[in-house]
Amino acid sequence: MSAPLRVGFVGYGYWGPNILRNLERLATVDVVAACDANPDNRAKLASAYPHIALTDDLEQLLTGYRLDAVVVATSAPTHAALAARVLEAGLHCFVEKPLTLSSADAAHLVKLAEDNDRILMVGHLMVYHGAIEWIRDYIDSGELGEVRYLYFQRLNLGKVRADENSFWSLAPHDVSVALYLLGETPDRVSANGADYLRDGVHDVVFANLHFPSGRLANIHVSWLDPHKTRRMTVVGSKKMLVFDDMEATDKIWIYDKGVEPADAMAYGEDLTLRFGDIRVPFVKLSEPLGAEMSHFVECCRTGTTPRSSGADGLRVVQVLEAVDASLASGGAPVTIETE
Ligand SMILES: NC(=O)c1ccc[n+]([C@@H]2O[C@H](COP(=O)([O-])OP(=O)(O)OC[C@H]3O[C@@H](n4cnc5c(N)ncnc54)[C@H](O)[C@@H]3O)[C@@H](O)[C@H]2O)c1
């Protein structure tokens, strides 16, 4: 067995502890050093993981510990600069979502990773969720028929952020899943929203994504909703499917329902509604974050392109940017130019 991957960790705030806990479980990883600008968060890290060396200086982290890779879990506005330094230092890099706050910065990171022959992976966590993998296989099997449209609801009361709007904070998950399931990038988006809580920071957004195949996705995100909701509905030509991530175990519901042309004998009707069985398949689930970290380590060790690569991160940022442009113009359609 080869030596464990020597990993450095940056950003032990709200989300970082979950990532570090999962990295520490992997036998293929040695988290040797960590960095956080905040002394309170460094103290928390020191008390939970006394064996990990600590610094407040990224340059020391990058040069002082013979690292192979760095995991960046800092707040979104810092991603572009920190990830660029990691890649320029010749290290593999995992960056939490969203990859950056502009597509120009994301494209720069993708190029840096290519030029330095390093792995760049973005934390699109949901594409490592066992239920999403199951749904993708189910769609590929043809059982659902042609996917016609899908819609997402990611709602809650809080956590209200000041440095990014609700779409940048919540929707990278849904945008990445839509792109992953449909295998294409939207060519046009339009969005409406409102900033009830903080001037200029949208806390509620309704976005429509149009894909080159003609398929549609709608994403509704909110920090101002009475129910915590994490739900996706996929309507196919043969069946319909609901994924409810708030359910503990029965997360996927398949409805054998549809609308079909009436048979030749029917009189006065040209469409028939079909109501069939509802099935709740057994899906083996593990913590998506564990699968995500394990995938990152595997990609670093083998040179495989990650399922959520820098290029995927760039595509998602392009959609987020287009949604912002549409919000700014009061809901006008915005075209997305991809390569
Ligand atoms: N995948 C998910 O489900 C999920 C959930 C929550 C957050 N996130 C993502 O995780 C990232 C972090 O979010 P958070 O809520 O934990 O943010 P946070 O503000 O709570 O924590 C960020 C931490 O990074 C540190 N930091 C910031 N700039 C730094 C720098 N230049 N050098 C060293 N340390 C620095 C801060 O001191 C802080 O401890 C964001 O990208 C967010 O979108 C992902």
Side-chain angles (χ1 to χ4, degrees), residues 167 189-191 205 207 209 318-328 334:
F167 204 78
V189 308
S190 59
V205 177
L209 279 50
Q318 286 174 322
V319 174
L320 302 175
E321 246 176 12
V323 165
D324 264 358
S326 181
L327 287 171
V334 172

Side-chain angles (χ1 to χ4, degrees), residues 96-322:
E96 252 311 327
K97 60 81 196 163
L99 179 56
T100 58
L101 294 185
S102 82
S103 53
D105 283 344
H108 178 61
L109 291 185
V110 170
K111 179 152 188 336
L112 271 181
E114 269 167 23
D115 290 351
N116 289 288
D117 196 19
R118 296 294 88 180
I119 297 293
L120 172 62
M121 175 166 152
V122 59
H124 293 163
L125 182 64
M126 293 304 291
V127 303
Y128 301 94
H129 194 305
I132 295 297
E133 287 185 64
W134 192 95
I135 291 168
R136 185 165 139 133
D137 288 347
Y138 189 73
I139 290 172
D140 286 350
S141 77
E143 290 259 337
L144 202 73
E146 294 292 319
V147 173
R148 289 184 163 150
Y149 73 94
L150 60 170
Y151 65 92
F152 300 82
Q153 295 153 306
R154 192 170 290 275
L155 322 169
N156 203 3
L157 202 58
K159 165 183 186 175
V160 181
R161 291 177 187 258
D163 53 3
E164 53 182 346
N165 69 24
S166 58
F167 204 78
W168 282 81
S169 176
L170 300 174
H173 293 306
D174 305 312
V175 175
S176 63
V177 168
L179 272 56
Y180 180 64
L181 293 181
L182 297 181
E184 56 178 339
T185 309
D187 52 6
R188 196 172 68 236
V189 308
S190 59
N192 288 103
D195 52 348
Y196 297 112
L197 306 173
R198 269 204 179 101
D199 267 0
V201 182
H202 285 87
D203 30 68
V204 180
V205 177
F206 300 87
N208 293 311
L209 279 50
H210 176 275
F211 290 82
S213 63
R215 296 182 287 188
L216 299 173
N218 175 272
I219 301 175
H220 172 198
V221 296
S222 177
W223 287 324
L224 195 57
D225 196 281
H227 294 122
K228 180 162 182 176
T229 307
R230 300 280 182 267
R231 189 186 283 239
M232 171 182 76
T233 302
V234 186
V235 173
S237 56
K238 293 186 188 161
K239 290 182 185 162
M240 301 176 183
L241 178 155
V242 173
F243 164 52
D244 187 346
D245 208 11
M246 294 309 295
E247 291 287 338
T249 51
D250 298 345
K251 289 180 183 280
I252 300 176
W253 297 63
I254 297 167
Y255 296 80
D256 187 8
K257 290 186 176 183
V259 183
E260 286 156 5
D263 67 51
M265 300 305 288
Y267 178 74
E269 299 272 353
D270 55 4
L271 291 174
T272 303
L273 308 186
R274 180 169 45 74
F275 296 92
D277 290 341
I278 300 169
R279 184 162 83 88
V280 181
F282 171 75
V283 179
K284 195 164 181 293
L285 296 170
S286 58
E287 188 174 349
L289 199 44
E292 184 182 60
M293 283 303 110
S294 164
H295 183 71
F296 174 59
V297 172
E298 186 64 16
C299 289
C300 294
R301 289 164 79 103
T302 59
T304 312
T305 303
R307 188 183 302 169
S308 53
S309 66
D312 295 309
L314 167 60
R315 282 187 273 274
V316 168
V317 169
Q318 286 174 322
V319 174
L320 302 175
E321 246 176 12

Side-chain angles (χ1 to χ4, degrees), residues 10-17 19 35-38 41 56 58 72-76 78-79 82 96-98 123 125 159 161 164 168-169 173 289 292:
V10 194
Y12 196 74
Y14 163 72
W15 186 244
I19 301 186
C35 170
D36 198 297
N38 179 321
N41 291 344
D56 62 354
L58 183 75
V72 176
T74 55
S75 45
T78 66
H79 291 177
L82 294 183
E96 252 311 327
K97 60 81 196 163
L125 182 64
K159 165 183 186 175
R161 291 177 187 258
E164 53 182 346
W168 282 81
S169 176
H173 293 306
L289 199 44
E292 184 182 60

Side-chain angles (χ1 to χ4, degrees), residues 25-43:
R25 282 190 190 144
L26 296 174
T28 48
V29 168
D30 198 357
V31 182
V32 284
C35 170
D36 198 297
N38 179 321
D40 293 341
N41 291 344
R42 280 202 305 281

